[in-house]
């Protein structure tokens, strides 16, 4: 594995990753980073990176400052060891940093209402530990010095120390300022030797001050003397400082004990912060390389869209499209040594390792990566000077080791397969190796400049040719990967561009055998066809986009018209309802008047009945001119309605379907369980189940009776329909149909249900399904026959 990580430049990629780390905790995680071969683990890592990227997109910064690797400190405190002030300060700082990160993530989830389940679960494990943080901060300042306020005893001792120091300095400064002693001193200063205050005295005056000599200059001309007058005070100062040191040691030991009490919680916090720093480091790196989250699979399928090698500067890298593991599992990249083939190989390999490490890959959205159990690579000149191996021997030694381990869950990368030996033997060996790896089910990307391998993919199932495009005009590779087109040598074209005489080139061409010449011509033709296809595809794409835009505009206009029509009909229905209500009220008033006349014992005369009838007729709601116009327009738009068509009855506002045509302008319509006669002008066409043509008309064997590939039951009575279905199935089986359609319409669903029940029990029915969007939908049942 180390060999693969080295040749695919995985460690160089990790150095790029380290540029985005926030703490030594994250740095340690990156140092330990290795690709995983477990799909679930990789998916978890990728989801963590996705959540980290989401946070950076929303906030651009994560508060991860002030965090240290305190694990060694905590473990020492846990076994009873004492901690230094600086170590305790790092512990307090890390506790504070963890609490800040926890608050940051929890606030983000609440305010933005976004889901960050993995990050939220991680920060939930962080313990605030405010008590120990407060205890440390009350005793130690930001520079790592123990404060006077750490204890009353320490405050007293430091007061004494300052008093003794002041007294000593005062006495010594009076000596240095004295005119009597000035000539005895090398310099009029007070200094410190062996942690005691002294003055510099000339050698010849050493006995003038008494006291203790602590040091002398390099020349011996000056002695640093503690005068007898300050020896007592210096002793008191020394004793006070010793007491101070013991008190500081006691305070630090007490804080160390407090740390030990929360050792387990602190270690969990540190591990969590390491994970968080690592996640946000991956997210920042993904943003830096313009990476995306790939889809993952364990089927060995790989699809890279505009993939870029992360170690090549963005302004020079050329994106490539690569697919592997779908219709072919071996990709053979042929062509001259122009530098593009090896980059392609390394891009595929490195991006695979990055994806399996939970990193975003520098490719476009919708790229897909496979999780391989093993990745093998034989790239570049691996010649060993110590072993005195040739280039071919070096490659072959590596390939032998690969072939011992490769299986169906492997990705194998071969660079210049078979190179370094006789071309004929090398090409034959390369073909044999590729065949062997293919039989084992591995995914292979191989590069070669042997012309014999250009035809390999044409003769092998599961193999595909590819090449790196070369611009003969500029004499440079474009680095574009062309799938399906083998590479050309371009040697003659390049030589001609460089000025080689045509006569020499023609003599060289004459040396090439017919097969090689035919192969080069075929490749040239393929390249021309590809360029032509690309141009046509661009033009077609442009036309399609314009058509889609026009279609979208038309759909919007139609939707607006439909909404306007619905609004007009709604208004008409509301006015009609109001008119009906008024008519009922008028009718009730008329009936009430007639009853009053009857109560008075008066006979209702003929002319009174005529008047009442007139009032009733006048109370019947009349359609407005606009309503009549809308109904006429709807009727005109209707196609010729046939049984089975879905329609809307405008006066009721309900949908149903045509049962049968009664007259030129009248139809029988079924709405739910109710059938009624409706005028054509009161109907609005909605939909028509489409017939499915699966086969041309067939003839029942042994007869002249023609059987259609579908049976239309719309408008049939239930019993008759069931008999027709049974007979039709027999005829269809005799005719040799494998699939037929039974059109029963939607309606109340009774006919459809009966057909489904009959089909489920029929011995020659293999399977059934509802019609698709272009097959009539629920109004059609597609039957697969045995």
């Amino acid at each position: 594995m180390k060999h693969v990580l080295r040749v695919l430049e995985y460690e160089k990629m990790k150095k790029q990753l380290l540029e985005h780390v926030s703490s030594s905790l994250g740095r340690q995680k990156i140092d330990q980073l290795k690709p995983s071969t477990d799909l679930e683990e990789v998916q978890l890592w990728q989801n963590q990176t996705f959540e980290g990227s989401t946070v950076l997109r929303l906030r651009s910064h994560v508060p991860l400052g002030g965090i240290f690797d305190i694990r060694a400190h905590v473990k020492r405190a846990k076994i009873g060891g004492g901690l230094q002030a600086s170590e305790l300060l790092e512990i307090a700082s890390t506790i504070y940093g963890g609490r800040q990160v926890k608050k940051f993530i929890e606030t983000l989830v609440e305010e933005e209402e976004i889901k960050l389940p993995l990050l939220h679960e991680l920060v939930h494990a962080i313990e605030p530990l405010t008590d120990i943080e407060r205890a440390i901060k009350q005793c130690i300042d930001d520079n790592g010095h123990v404060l006077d306020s750490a204890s009353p005893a320490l405050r007293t001792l430091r007061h004494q120390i300052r008093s003794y120091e002041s007294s000593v300095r005062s006495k010594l400064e009076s000596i240095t300022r004295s005119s009597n002693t000035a000539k005895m001193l090398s310099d009029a200063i007070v200094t410190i030797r062996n942690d005691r205050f002294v003055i510099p005295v000339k050698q010849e005056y050493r006995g003038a001050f008494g006291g203790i000599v602590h040091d002398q200059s390099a020349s011996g001309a000056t002695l640093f003397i503690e005068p007898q007058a300050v020896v007592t005070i210096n002793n008191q100062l020394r004793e006070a400082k010793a007491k101070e040191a013991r008190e500081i040691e006691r305070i630090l030991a007490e804080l160390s004990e407090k740390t030990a009490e929360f050792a387990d919680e602190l270690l969990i916090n540190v591990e969590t912060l390491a994970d968080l720093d690592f996640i946000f480091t991956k997210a920042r790196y993904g943003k830096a390389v313009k990476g995306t989250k790939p889809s993952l699979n364990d089927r060995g399928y790989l699809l890279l869209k505009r993939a870029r090698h992360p170690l090549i500067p963005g302004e020079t890298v050329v994106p490539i499209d690569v697919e592997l593991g779908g219709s072919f599992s071996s990709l053979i990249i042929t062509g001259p040594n122009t530098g593009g083939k090896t980059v392609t190989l390394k891009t595929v390999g490195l991006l695979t390792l990055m994806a399996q490490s939970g990193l975003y890959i520098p490719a476009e959205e919708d790229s897909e990566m496979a999780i391989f159990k093993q990745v093998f690579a034989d790239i570049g000149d691996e010649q060993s000077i110590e072993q005195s191996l040739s280039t071919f021997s070096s490659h072959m030694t590596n390939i032998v080791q690969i072939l011992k381990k490769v299986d169906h869950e492997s990705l194998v990368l071969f660079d210049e397969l078979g190179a370094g030996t006789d071309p004929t033997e090398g090409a034959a060996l390369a073909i044999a190796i590729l065949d062997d790896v293919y039989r084992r089910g591995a995914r292979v990307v191989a590069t070669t400049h042997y012309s014999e391998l250009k035809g390999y993919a044409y003769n092998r199932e599961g193999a595909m040719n590819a090449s790196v495009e070369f611009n003969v005009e500029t004499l440079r590779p474009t680095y574009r990967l062309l799938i399906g087109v083998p590479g050309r040598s371009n040697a003659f074209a390049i030589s001609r561009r460089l000025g080689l005489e045509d006569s020499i080139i023609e003599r060289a061409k004459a040396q090439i055998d017919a097969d090689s010449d035919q192969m080069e011509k075929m490749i040239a033709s393929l390249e021309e066809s590809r360029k032509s296809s690309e141009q046509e595809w661009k033009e077609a794409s442009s036309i399609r986009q314009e058509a889609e835009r026009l279609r979208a505009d038309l759909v919007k206009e139609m939707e607006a018209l439909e909404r306007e029509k619905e609004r007009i009909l709604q208004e008409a229905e509301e006015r009609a309802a109001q008119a009906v209500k008024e008519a009922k009220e008028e009718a009730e008033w008329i009936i009430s008047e007639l009853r009053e006349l009857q109560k008075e014992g008066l006979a209702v005369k003929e002319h009174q009945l005529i008047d009442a009838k007139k009032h009733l007729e006048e109370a019947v709601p009349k359609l407005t001119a606009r309503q009549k116009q809308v109904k006429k327009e709807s009727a005109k738009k209707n196609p010729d309605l046939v049984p089975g068509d879905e329609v809307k009855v405008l006066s009721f506002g309900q949908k149903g379907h045509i049962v049968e045509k009664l007259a030129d302008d009248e139809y029988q319509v079924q709405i739910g369980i109710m059938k009624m006669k409706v005028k054509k002008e009161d109907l609005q066409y909605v939909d028509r189940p489409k017939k499915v043509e699966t086969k041309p008309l067939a003839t029942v064997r042994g007869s002249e009776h023609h059987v259609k590939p579908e049976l239309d039951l719309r408008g049939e009575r239930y019993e008759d329909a069931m008999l027709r279905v049974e007979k039709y199935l027999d005829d269809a089986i005799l005719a040799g149909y494998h699939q037929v359609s039974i059109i029963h319409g939607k309606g109340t669903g009774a006919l459809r249900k009966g057909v489904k029940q009959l089909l489920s029990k029929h011995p020659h029915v293999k399977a059934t399904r509802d019609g698709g969007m272009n097959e009539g939908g629920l109004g059609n049942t597609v039957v697969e026959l045995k």
Side-chain angles (χ1 to χ4, degrees):
M1 190 63 176
K2 287 183 180 179
H3 169 79
V4 172
L5 297 180
R6 179 172 59 81
V7 299
L8 291 178
E9 300 174 299
Y10 184 79
E11 295 302 324
K12 288 183 181 179
M13 180 276 298
K14 282 170 62 172
K15 287 182 181 178
Q16 284 187 338
L17 189 59
L18 282 169
E19 296 173 7
H20 303 275
V21 75
S22 297
S23 71
S24 60
L25 295 172
R27 181 178 295 275
Q28 203 171 65
K29 283 278 187 182
I30 293 170
D31 289 340
Q32 298 168 355
L33 180 62
K34 291 287 187 296
S36 171
T37 58
D38 182 79
L39 177 60
E40 290 186 4
E41 185 175 43
V42 175
Q43 285 174 332
L44 172 65
W45 291 354
Q46 286 286 352
N47 289 335
Q48 286 176 338
T49 306
F50 172 75
E51 290 189 12
S53 299
T54 302
V55 172
L56 290 179
R57 177 173 54 81
L58 294 172
R59 288 292 185 270
S60 75
H61 173 72
V62 182
L64 282 168
I67 293 171
F68 300 91
D69 187 358
I70 59 172
R71 285 173 290 198
H73 311 338
V74 174
K75 288 174 182 176
R76 194 164 74 252
K78 191 175 182 180
I79 60 174
L83 302 180
Q84 299 297 319
S86 59
E87 294 172 333
L88 288 164
L89 189 64
E90 287 184 357
I91 290 173
S93 179
T94 302
I95 292 172
Y96 176 77
R99 198 165 61 252
Q100 289 297 104
V101 173
K102 181 174 184 174
K103 182 181 178 182
F104 173 80
I105 296 296
E106 290 177 344
T107 302
L108 186 63
V109 171
E110 291 173 7
E111 290 182 356
E112 298 291 341
E113 295 183 353
I114 58 170
K115 293 182 179 179
L116 302 170
L118 300 176
L119 291 178
H120 201 267
E121 184 181 358
L122 275 175
V123 299
H124 183 70
I126 296 176
E127 291 291 338
L129 301 177
T130 50
D131 290 343
I132 186 172
E133 180 200 351
R134 190 181 300 112
I136 293 172
K137 288 293 184 71
Q138 286 174 349
C139 296
I140 303 171
D141 67 14
D142 292 340
N143 297 315
H145 300 299
V146 179
L147 297 166
D148 293 359
S149 57
S151 75
L154 185 62
R155 183 183 290 108
T156 301
L157 286 168
R158 285 187 172 167
H159 178 72
Q160 289 177 356
I161 289 169
R162 284 189 287 271
S163 177
Y164 290 144
E165 286 178 343
S166 177
S167 179
V168 170
R169 281 183 176 278
S170 178
K171 283 181 182 289
L172 293 177
E173 284 174 357
S174 68
I175 292 174
T176 60
R177 288 196 298 268
S178 171
S179 58
N180 296 328
T181 58
K183 63 179 181 179
M184 303 178 189
L185 302 176
S186 299
D187 199 355
I189 61 169
V190 176
T191 185
I192 295 175
R193 289 292 186 277
N194 298 329
D195 205 24
R196 297 177 78 91
F197 287 97
V198 296
I199 54 175
V201 180
K202 293 177 181 178
Q203 172 71 30
E204 59 268 29
Y205 298 107
R206 65 180 296 173
F209 296 95
I212 305 167
V213 177
H214 288 281
D215 197 4
Q216 68 178 9
S217 64
S219 63
T222 300
L223 301 176
F224 293 95
I225 297 175
E226 179 186 358
Q228 187 64 45
V230 296
V231 169
T232 302
I233 301 175
N234 259 338
N235 287 340
Q236 291 172 331
L237 176 61
R238 189 78 172 264
E239 185 180 352
K241 285 186 174 181
K243 288 180 180 178
E244 177 199 28
R246 287 194 296 273
E247 179 62 16
I248 288 174
E249 188 177 342
R250 186 194 66 77
I251 292 167
L252 295 179
E254 190 177 293
L255 291 173
S256 298
E257 288 177 9
K258 277 184 176 291
T259 300
E261 291 176 17
F262 297 97
D264 293 338
E265 290 86 345
L266 283 166
L267 291 173
I268 291 172
N269 281 9
V270 172
E271 289 297 333
T272 303
L273 290 170
D275 289 337
L276 288 169
D277 189 11
F278 180 51
I279 288 169
F280 287 113
T281 298
K282 292 191 296 179
R284 281 189 285 268
Y285 180 63
K287 184 179 180 181
V289 299
K290 298 178 181 177
T292 60
K293 177 186 176 185
S295 301
L296 301 171
N297 68 79
D298 56 1
R299 309 185 313 275
Y301 177 70
L302 184 148
L303 176 64
L304 289 172
K305 296 183 177 181
R306 295 185 62 76
R308 307 171 302 280
H309 197 289
L311 301 180
I312 300 176
E315 62 273 12
T316 58
V317 67
V318 177
I320 60 171
D321 296 327
V322 182
E323 184 176 7
L324 186 67
S327 57
F328 55 90
S329 60
S330 300
L331 186 64
I332 315 301
I333 307 174
T334 54
N337 296 326
T338 56
K341 302 197 301 295
T342 302
V343 170
T344 297
L345 210 64
K346 287 187 173 182
T347 301
V348 172
L350 182 55
L351 265 58
T352 296
L353 298 179
M354 287 175 65
Q356 292 186 209
S357 301
L359 296 168
Y360 275 14
I361 60 171
E364 283 193 352
E365 297 282 352
D366 300 324
S367 292
E368 189 165 352
M369 302 299 294
I371 304 302
F372 295 102
K373 297 298 182 186
Q374 299 179 95
V375 177
F376 301 103
D378 178 60
I379 297 177
D381 186 0
E382 298 296 327
Q383 181 173 343
S384 171
I385 296 174
E386 292 82 0
Q387 294 176 335
S388 300
L389 295 174
S390 68
T391 301
F392 176 75
S393 299
S394 172
H395 278 294
M396 196 50 57
T397 300
N398 195 25
I399 290 170
V400 168
Q401 295 303 315
I402 290 172
L403 294 178
K404 287 179 180 179
K405 302 173 185 176
V406 71
D407 61 17
H408 67 284
E409 294 180 309
S410 302
L411 172 65
V412 186
L413 307 172
F414 290 127
D415 188 28
E416 295 299 344
L417 186 59
T421 186
D422 176 76
T424 305
E425 292 182 355
L429 199 57
I431 291 171
I433 291 170
L434 288 172
D435 283 343
D436 183 69
V437 176
Y438 173 75
R439 279 195 296 271
R440 300 189 193 196
R443 304 295 183 261
V444 185
V445 182
T447 70
T448 179
H449 61 272
Y450 288 142
S451 59
E452 288 85 350
L453 266 73
K454 294 176 182 178
Y456 177 83
Y458 292 105
N459 303 320
R460 299 293 194 282
E461 183 182 356
M464 177 63 71
N465 270 320
S467 60
V468 178
E469 188 177 54
F470 189 85
N471 190 328
V472 180
E473 298 298 320
T474 62
L475 302 182
R476 286 177 170 272
T478 67
Y479 298 105
R480 287 182 60 208
L481 185 68
L482 309 176
I483 303 292
V485 180
R488 299 171 62 191
S489 67
N490 296 305
F492 295 147
I494 294 171
S495 300
R496 181 176 280 109
R497 286 282 299 167
L498 293 175
L500 189 65
E501 293 182 11
D502 288 345
S503 59
I504 297 175
I505 293 173
E506 292 303 320
R507 283 198 296 274
K509 285 183 178 180
Q511 302 300 317
I512 299 178
D513 59 53
D515 289 343
S516 297
D517 186 47
Q518 187 177 359
M519 173 68 77
E520 288 296 319
K521 288 179 179 177
M522 179 193 73
I523 294 171
S525 174
L526 280 173
E527 285 191 0
E528 288 299 322
S529 298
R530 178 191 57 78
K531 289 178 181 178
S532 176
S533 298
E534 281 186 357
Q535 183 61 33
E536 290 176 2
W537 182 85
K538 287 179 181 177
E539 293 175 0
S541 179
S542 175
I543 294 169
R544 178 180 59 79
Q545 290 174 359
E546 179 65 18
E548 286 180 353
R549 187 186 64 77
L550 291 172
R551 179 181 176 278
D553 292 343
L554 287 172
V555 167
K556 286 181 181 178
E557 291 180 10
M558 289 178 65
E559 287 176 350
L561 288 171
E562 188 65 27
R563 286 195 297 271
E564 178 65 15
K565 186 175 75 174
E566 289 290 335
R567 185 187 65 77
I568 293 169
L569 289 173
Q570 182 67 25
E571 288 179 359
E573 289 173 2
E574 290 174 358
R575 285 196 293 270
Q578 182 62 30
V580 170
K581 181 181 177 184
E582 292 173 358
K584 286 182 178 178
E585 292 174 354
E586 182 73 13
E588 288 175 0
W589 177 81
I590 293 169
I591 293 168
S592 176
E593 286 290 315
L594 292 174
R595 284 176 178 166
E596 286 296 324
L597 290 171
Q598 286 179 340
K599 284 180 181 178
E600 293 174 4
L602 297 174
V604 181
K605 295 181 180 180
E606 186 64 26
H607 71 276
Q608 291 173 320
L609 288 172
I610 292 170
D611 289 342
K613 185 176 180 182
K614 185 178 179 182
H615 279 295
L616 285 170
E617 288 174 352
E618 290 174 352
V620 174
K622 299 293 192 297
L623 287 176
T624 64
R626 176 59 183 158
Q627 289 170 325
K628 290 178 180 178
Q629 182 65 24
V630 169
K631 291 185 79 172
K632 284 182 180 179
E633 288 176 0
S634 297
K636 286 179 182 178
K637 290 179 183 177
N638 286 336
D640 291 333
L641 300 174
V642 298
D645 285 354
E646 187 177 355
V647 293
K648 182 176 181 181
V649 181
L650 298 176
S651 57
F652 286 92
Q654 298 292 322
K655 290 182 179 180
H657 70 274
I658 303 290
V659 176
E660 62 177 310
K661 184 175 183 180
L662 302 175
D664 288 342
D665 61 345
E666 191 173 50
Y667 295 85
Q668 186 180 50
V669 179
Q670 183 162 351
I671 302 176
I673 62 171
M674 181 175 66
K675 291 183 180 179
M676 62 179 67
K677 295 178 182 179
V678 183
K679 294 289 186 182
K680 183 177 181 180
E681 66 179 19
D682 197 22
L683 295 174
Q684 181 183 353
Y685 171 79
V686 175
D687 192 17
R688 175 175 294 166
K690 293 181 175 59
K691 295 182 180 181
V692 182
E693 294 186 7
T694 56
K695 286 186 178 179
L697 290 176
T699 304
V700 178
R701 296 167 190 166
S703 75
E704 295 300 319
H705 181 62
H706 290 277
V707 182
K708 293 183 179 181
E710 76 273 344
L711 174 65
D712 193 343
L713 300 175
R714 290 175 295 185
E716 292 278 349
R717 292 176 62 253
Y718 182 90
E719 292 79 7
D720 295 338
M722 295 303 103
L723 291 173
R724 285 192 64 194
V725 171
E726 288 186 350
K727 183 178 182 308
Y728 175 72
L729 289 175
D730 292 337
D731 291 343
I733 291 164
L734 289 172
Y737 282 128
H738 296 292
Q739 179 177 295
V740 295
S741 296
I742 297 179
I743 303 169
H744 41 64
K746 298 175 184 177
T748 62
L751 190 57
R752 176 174 176 268
K753 184 177 180 182
V755 169
K756 293 279 189 184
Q757 287 177 346
L758 189 151
L759 293 173
S760 66
K761 298 175 183 178
H762 199 282
H764 293 289
V765 173
K766 184 177 180 181
T768 65
R769 64 175 175 83
D770 291 328
M773 189 168 61
N774 298 321
E775 296 176 321
L778 296 176
N780 176 32
T781 295
V782 180
V783 185
E784 189 177 347
L785 299 173
K786 295 180 181 178

